[in-house]
Amino acid sequence: GRLGELRSVLKRGRSMESATSFQITQHDSPFLSKRRWECTQKLWQFLEEPDSNFWSRWYARLTPLIIMVSVVTSFIQNLKPEPIPALAAAICETVFDALSTAEVSARYAASPSALIFASNPFNLLDLTAIGSLAMRACVGFILDDSLDEWVVDTLLLVVPLLRLLRTLRHFETFHLL
């Protein structure tokens, strides 16, 4: 069927644009009701096409700003004395990671297929948000001196850089891969 055609498009090494522009209809997803299909299509359009409506444009403009605030918040936690109390920093970092996890979850839920979702390098980059939230949950949300240095360095130096890379999605002329 049509999903087989999509797989062959991806196997032939076609560009991501040809894969994401491949139109999948409700008949290709028989498990979705018509109403759920329409909602999924609207969510996909909202997330993937910033010029589709007023709210999509605002979302596309605000997302990089929120990401930049999260990066600055992480980096300033490395300063001594700490300008942000540990509890406030933990709340901010957790909120940023939760928002990123919600976005990548919405992208996955709205994606026409798991294959299209996984073939987009930006989505794979977005998945790092889930890893950082899980890591925070495992070590405790408040970072203190009792943690291994590599954990703190990962959460305060590597994760912000990965967040910064997430802003590349919003540059129309830049292609990650």
Side-chain angles (χ1 to χ4, degrees), residues 115-146:
L115 185 61
I116 289 175
F117 178 84
S119 64
N120 185 334
F122 294 119
N123 289 337
L124 300 179
L125 185 61
D126 289 348
L127 288 173
T128 61
I130 296 171
S132 63
L133 186 60
M135 188 175 194
R136 280 184 198 287
C138 288
V139 300
F141 292 96
I142 297 177
L143 304 179
D144 57 27
D145 295 334
S146 67

Side-chain angles (χ1 to χ4, degrees), residues 54-130:
F54 174 80
W55 296 110
S56 294
R57 268 188 300 284
W58 273 103
Y59 179 77
R61 288 180 184 156
L62 285 177
T63 300
L65 178 65
I66 292 169
I67 290 172
M68 294 303 293
V69 169
S70 76
V71 169
V72 170
T73 302
S74 294
F75 283 155
I76 64 171
Q77 290 178 61
N78 292 300
L79 300 174
K80 299 294 180 208
E82 296 174 357
I84 301 175
L87 179 61
I91 291 170
C92 289
E93 293 287 336
T94 303
V95 166
F96 293 135
D97 286 340
L99 289 172
S100 297
T101 300
E103 180 185 2
V104 73
S105 299
R107 285 185 186 281
Y108 180 75
S111 180
S113 77
L115 185 61
I116 289 175
F117 178 84
S119 64
N120 185 334
F122 294 119
N123 289 337
L124 300 179
L125 185 61
D126 289 348
L127 288 173
T128 61
I130 296 171

Side-chain angles (χ1 to χ4, degrees), residues 142-158:
I142 297 177
L143 304 179
D144 57 27
D145 295 334
S146 67
L147 294 173
D148 286 341
E149 189 175 323
W150 71 269
V151 172
V152 176
D153 287 348
T154 300
L155 290 173
L156 295 182
L157 298 173
V158 175

